[in-house]
Amino acid sequence: MQTLPAWIRSEPHGVRLALRVQPAARRCALVGEHGNRLKVAVQAPPSEGRANEALIAYLAACLDLRPGALRLAAGAASRDKSLLIDCDPSEAPRIAQRLIAAVRR
């Protein structure tokens, strides 16, 4: 079995990502690991949920998923967030690979 990074884990109903979000960045990008989280920069400001919407849209595009398959599970008003992806839990290694490959692309 493949070892997953600390920021991703399989759960019974999908895959959970532990994220650190940097709002109001120059561009949207996967920055890399930040402790036990994956750091993601988004251009949207941290007001009225715009950074959360941008985060979901950006990660959905990175993973080639519809935005409706991703939902914020915790951290709506925090930079530290937990995001749940509605998919088969066995997809965790593939999701981790795609995100790692997209870091600083």
Side-chain angles (χ1 to χ4, degrees):
M1 182 174 188
Q2 182 178 355
T3 303
L4 295 172
W7 45 264
I8 187 169
R9 71 174 192 245
S10 295
E11 295 193 347
H13 301 291
V15 174
R16 184 176 300 264
L17 301 177
L19 305 171
R20 174 72 173 188
V21 179
Q22 176 190 343
R26 290 178 86 178
R27 65 185 181 95
C28 291
L30 292 169
V31 179
E33 290 193 6
H34 182 84
N36 286 338
R37 296 179 176 276
L38 178 63
K39 187 172 182 179
V40 184
V42 294
Q43 286 182 303
S47 59
E48 300 173 11
R50 290 189 290 195
N52 292 335
E53 291 170 9
L55 171 70
I56 289 171
Y58 177 67
L59 288 177
C62 286
L63 297 170
D64 198 25
L65 296 171
R66 58 184 173 73
L70 287 75
R71 70 177 170 86
L72 212 51
S78 171
R79 288 181 181 227
D80 291 332
K81 302 184 184 298
S82 179
L83 189 112
L84 189 61
I85 302 171
D86 182 22
C87 66
D88 188 313
S90 67
E91 291 289 307
R94 185 189 67 79
I95 290 169
Q97 265 187 326
R98 286 193 77 162
L99 293 174
I100 290 168
V103 169
R104 292 221 187 255
R105 193 181 324 158

